[in-house]
Amino acid sequence: MSKKATLEGNVYYPSQDVIDQANVKDYDSLYKHSIENREQFWTEEAEKLEWFQKWDTVLDDSEKPFYKWFTGGKTNIILNAIDRHLTTWRKNKLALIWEGEPGDAITYSYFALNREVSKFANILNSMGVKKGDVVTIYMPQIPELMFAMLACAKIGAVHSVVYGGFSYEALSERIADSKSRTLVTADGGWRRGSINDLKTIADEAMKRSPTIEHCIVVKRTKQDVYMESGRDFWYHDLAALPMASWKYETQKLDAEHPLFILYTSGTTGKPKGQVHTHGGYSVYTSVTHKYVFDIKDEDRWWCAADPGWITGHSYIIYGPLINGATVMMYEGAPNYPYPHRWWQMIEKYGITILYTSPTAIRGLMRFGDDWPKRYDLSSLRLLGSVGEPINPEAWRWYYEVIGKGKCPIMDTWWQTETGGFMITPIPIMPLKPGSATKPFFGTEVAVVDGDGNEVGVGEQGKLVIKNPWPGMARTLQGDPDRYVKTYWSEFAKQGWYAAGDSARKDKDGYFWIIGRLDDVIKVSGYRLGTAEIESALVSHPDVSEAAAIGLPHELKGHAIHTFVILRQGVSDSKEIRDALRDHVAKEVGPIARPEKVTIVDSLPKTRSGKIMRRVLKAQSLGEDVGDLSTLEQ
Ligand code: PRX
């Protein structure tokens, strides 16, 4: 009889079935090999992909910390994500199953995906987009978002996807930073039964973006939108022109050619444009996806993130397509029109692996067990979590009610900067709810104090990565110094990457992520910078100074709390506090709407004038405020 999944103490062991079909059966020996022979390990993995021309050097570390991978190699991520499947039976395999929020649905085989991507590439090309140009994409979760990204890659253009929930300010700032001349958007997208007015927001952004020459608009919601003559073009009109043919030759690129820029919020005002490249990212996203999610040809893979974030880039689009997987994508809200929506789609499409965030799990858990219990979820064989630490209660609900006690949960720790999973279980590993377990192959991770000494077992410290890996961001767009300063200066002596997270390591070598050390707030798994929220607040005419902090929240993980000094003559009222919350939502995006605005007379500051957010945090939580020696008296 095969072994069942078991729980011993607080440790979950996988069933024999899971072990039997796992792509990797022995973590320890492959890990050892990958560390002792790092370059060989990555060579072996890279050789499983196709290349136009093989590399000369696996890892070029001559300009540390600007590491380069597979130099001398020629590739294009599309060669592996689409082209190579067309010469196999996978040509007719489903690449994408898509469902819109109103219930419309469509599927694309790899053959059809190639047709759509080639057509989009021709359209972009006819608008003057060339190799190396940056194309900004501001779209709802519709198939054309995937096509647009892949089309950029095929041309060798660089995509910069801006999450569809961001405001015109955020969009125009990202367009300006990347000097993008082309914007791809839609007339709108569906979210909770209403239209997210993307084109109107894009119009506001374009007014502030002198670099934009062309805007391609995909028709999704069919509402009337403003179209500026000579600048805005309907995608379907362009697609009907003879130049929009179904053939486009995938461009041969250097392995280090940039694939995309993705912005993360920073501690100072300007967002950081993380740059990822074709070669290393192809290898890293596909290998992590294959080993961690044990991907098989029969799988139907659903990463329920938004493609506008790194999770969507790496694990809706690139990793799964390189692995020839069938990808599920859904446009709308998980609980619309009812909280059964996800469970219904799992049954309807026979989803085998679900990868989502603790926030989404907590959000669906609060509607009770009856919603998922109405559906047959027996197709599921693995589950995943990402974005923030998962609390044990949500872990157990996910494991018992959704996974029926048979699906291991892959709690993957990683970042926009890392490109792919860094600390993560693989299916055969015993699991401890709330721990992302152990480092992925090829990577050494440690928890250290400020001097770089490893802290004791169970003690809190700073998370560092001790070596380069192929999926790492190469630099920050237009600001290499900031890249060095942010990630590589704290442990420059040792040459380690500072992740900006605090963590613990237990006696079994399992890592437990605690949270951010810097001024990043994770709201529902989304990354927001205190600086963005604060500058939105001070842009309001009634505000003189502001501070933002994250405080624990039952559903969102963390929620934004703000402290505001009003201008003279303006007094505290519910109206002004509500107006300020709305103002931040408008300036940054709805996800940044503060939970609470507290009006104060002063803010704790250091003598050099920096706001001491940790003091505000400790005061709000009723904790000891700690060392106040640098506080201005
Ligand atoms: O604090 C960690 C948290 O998310 C941060 C990275 O955010 P972002 O670049 O938006 O990428 C999110 C998706 C990869 C990390 O520094 N984080 C991410 N995954 C986990 C996590 N915290 C705990 N457990 C995780 N599994």
Side-chain angles (χ1 to χ4, degrees):
M1 218 183 74
S2 72
K3 193 181 91 183
K4 283 200 168 146
T6 52
L7 164 66
E8 285 167 31
N10 212 12
V11 183
Y12 289 75
Y13 293 89
S15 68
Q16 195 62 43
D17 279 355
V18 169
I19 296 169
D20 286 346
Q21 64 181 322
N23 285 340
V24 177
K25 299 220 172 17
D26 180 353
Y27 169 84
D28 291 337
S29 54
L30 188 56
Y31 183 73
K32 190 164 176 281
H33 165 66
S34 73
I35 298 302
E36 287 173 0
N37 315 285
R38 186 173 287 119
E39 292 184 26
Q40 192 192 329
F41 171 76
W42 288 118
T43 302
E44 287 155 8
E45 293 301 333
E47 279 174 347
K48 294 177 190 164
L49 297 184
E50 280 184 25
W51 296 77
F52 290 120
Q53 181 183 303
K54 206 179 158 182
W55 56 93
D56 308 317
T57 312
V58 182
L59 171 62
D60 173 354
D61 60 2
S62 57
E63 289 171 64
K64 286 179 198 169
F66 299 99
Y67 294 96
K68 297 190 192 78
W69 286 85
F70 308 111
T71 48
K74 294 263 184 214
T75 187
N76 185 314
I77 202 160
I78 299 300
L79 172 66
N80 287 294
I82 303 180
D83 300 353
R84 69 166 171 162
H85 304 313
L86 303 179
T87 57
T88 71
W89 67 271
R90 287 200 190 97
K91 175 177 170 181
N92 295 322
K93 180 180 172 177
L94 287 189
L96 178 64
I97 302 172
W98 175 83
E99 187 167 306
E101 197 187 73
D104 46 340
I106 188 164
T107 58
Y108 294 87
S109 63
Y110 275 91
F111 178 79
L113 180 66
N114 178 54
R115 185 183 67 217
E116 298 302 322
V117 171
S118 300
K119 185 166 75 184
F120 218 127
N122 277 308
I123 290 173
L124 287 172
N125 224 196
S126 72
M127 300 259 108
V129 175
K130 296 181 307 297
K131 183 174 156 184
D133 288 351
V134 179
V135 175
T136 303
I137 302 178
Y138 184 64
M139 294 268 267
Q141 276 209 59
I142 55 176
E144 287 79 2
L145 167 54
M146 183 190 262
F147 306 155
M149 290 166 73
L150 296 169
C152 289
K154 199 167 170 72
I155 297 174
V158 180
H159 57 71
S160 164
V161 180
V162 179
Y163 169 58
F166 270 145
S167 68
Y168 64 83
E169 283 286 352
L171 177 58
S172 60
E173 200 173 28
R174 286 155 175 75
I175 292 172
D177 190 73
S178 63
K179 302 185 183 62
S180 175
R181 290 187 292 124
T182 312
L183 177 66
V184 181
T185 187
D187 56 352
W190 291 103
R191 189 83 190 169
R192 263 188 202 96
S194 33
I195 290 174
N196 179 10
D197 239 339
L198 292 169
K199 179 63 168 61
T200 311
I201 302 169
D203 286 337
E204 284 302 312
M206 284 190 284
K207 276 189 205 159
R208 294 160 177 78
S209 306
T211 57
I212 292 289
E213 291 168 12
H214 294 126
C215 176
I216 301 173
V217 188
V218 176
K219 189 165 267 192
R220 164 71 186 130
T221 56
K222 303 194 177 71
Q223 58 168 346
D224 274 343
V225 293
Y226 169 74
M227 295 290 283
E228 188 169 301
S229 167
R231 184 194 70 184
D232 300 347
F233 299 87
W234 284 109
Y235 175 70
H236 59 267
D237 287 342
L238 299 170
L241 299 173
M243 53 83 185
S245 93
W246 297 331
K247 290 209 165 21
Y248 190 97
E249 198 186 325
T250 303
Q251 296 301 295
K252 297 183 175 62
L253 306 169
D254 290 337
E256 283 292 307
H257 187 76
L259 170 63
F260 65 84
I261 304 170
L262 188 57
Y263 285 90
T264 58
S265 308
T267 31
T268 64
K270 215 161 126 299
K272 300 194 283 259
Q274 311 285 344
V275 179
H276 285 278
T277 59
H278 277 256
Y281 184 80
S282 296
V283 176
Y284 203 72
T285 53
S286 57
V287 173
T288 47
H289 182 242
K290 182 173 67 188
Y291 288 159
V292 174
F293 283 103
D294 198 30
I295 202 80
K296 302 283 189 314
D297 262 321
E298 310 77 76
D299 278 317
R300 288 190 158 189
W301 159 257
W302 186 11
C303 165
D306 192 291
W309 302 92
I310 191 69
T311 311
H313 281 54
S314 300
Y315 299 111
I316 296 179
I317 317 267
Y318 291 110
L321 293 181
I322 294 172
N323 288 329
T326 296
V327 171
M328 167 76 197
M329 187 167 154
Y330 165 60
E331 177 186 29
N335 55 350
Y336 189 82
Y338 302 106
H340 69 172
R341 188 67 190 261
W342 275 19
W343 320 129
Q344 189 186 40
M345 286 190 290
I346 289 172
E347 177 178 313
K348 182 174 173 190
Y349 298 110
I351 301 299
T352 57
I353 312 173
L354 175 67
Y355 181 42
T356 184
S357 66
T359 291
I361 298 160
R362 288 192 293 264
L364 290 164
M365 183 170 114
R366 85 192 140 126
F367 294 111
D369 299 2
D370 288 348
W371 292 101
K373 280 191 174 154
R374 277 199 196 114
Y375 293 90
D376 177 4
L377 305 181
S378 61
S379 56
L380 288 172
R381 66 179 189 90
L382 281 174
L383 299 171
S385 173
V386 61
E388 49 182 318
I390 181 165
N391 50 311
E393 198 196 349
W395 197 100
R396 275 190 209 99
W397 186 81
Y398 197 29
Y399 185 80
E400 299 293 349
V401 180
I402 306 307
K404 313 291 179 207
K406 69 173 173 68
C407 308
I409 299 176
M410 302 297 104
D411 180 352
T412 60
W413 176 88
W414 58 297
Q415 308 176 300
T416 309
E417 293 84 341
T418 70
F421 311 146
M422 299 304 288
I423 305 178
T424 172
I426 56 172
I428 57 154
M429 252 182 211
L431 302 171
K432 303 183 190 186
S435 168
T437 74
K438 296 191 175 184
F440 187 71
F441 306 114
T443 283
E444 284 175 281
V445 179
V447 179
V448 300
D449 64 19
D451 298 324
N453 303 311
E454 226 167 296
V455 299
V457 167
E459 275 175 38
Q460 186 167 336
K462 300 178 176 204
L463 191 67
V464 295
I465 300 169
K466 292 187 166 180
N467 52 265
W469 63 102
M472 65 201 300
R474 299 300 193 259
T475 187
L476 295 178
Q477 171 71 12
D479 205 346
D481 294 346
R482 194 174 176 199
Y483 174 74
V484 177
K485 189 163 163 269
T486 312
Y487 306 108
W488 301 95
S489 63
E490 192 175 359
F491 300 103
K493 204 170 71 200
Q494 298 88 341
W496 295 343
Y497 170 88
D501 274 8
S502 62
R504 287 193 196 98
K505 187 170 151 184
D506 71 15
K507 62 177 182 10
D508 300 320
Y510 277 45
F511 288 86
W512 299 76
I513 310 298
I514 298 163
R516 297 293 305 182
L517 287 161
D518 57 9
D519 295 328
V520 169
I521 309 178
K522 285 241 125 189
V523 181
S524 302
Y526 295 131
R527 179 167 166 170
L528 291 164
T530 49
E532 275 177 307
I533 301 155
E534 289 163 5
S535 56
L537 281 167
V538 294
S539 75
H540 190 281
D542 291 341
V543 173
S544 128
E545 279 187 74
I549 58 168
L551 292 179
H553 184 276
E554 208 184 324
L555 282 181
K556 301 178 187 170
H558 281 92
I560 298 167
H561 288 246
T562 58
F563 299 83
V564 169
I565 305 177
L566 293 171
R567 281 195 195 279
Q568 239 173 6
V570 187
S571 48
D572 184 7
S573 66
K574 182 170 179 318
E575 285 71 34
I576 181 79
R577 281 181 264 126
D578 286 347
L580 292 177
R581 293 174 65 229
D582 289 346
H583 181 72
V584 177
K586 190 169 135 271
E587 292 285 306
V588 187
I591 48 165
R593 183 188 297 275
E595 194 75 7
K596 194 169 170 200
V597 174
T598 306
I599 306 296
V600 293
D601 294 328
S602 65
L603 290 169
K605 284 189 192 156
T606 61
R607 277 180 225 117
S608 59
K610 272 198 202 145
I611 296 171
M612 294 179 87
R613 294 187 191 83
R614 71 170 174 85
V615 172
L616 288 170
K617 209 164 169 171
Q619 282 168 345
S620 307
L621 295 170
E623 289 171 354
D624 179 10
V625 290
D627 176 15
L628 290 181
S629 58
T630 56
L631 187 75
E632 186 192 46
Q633 298 298 328

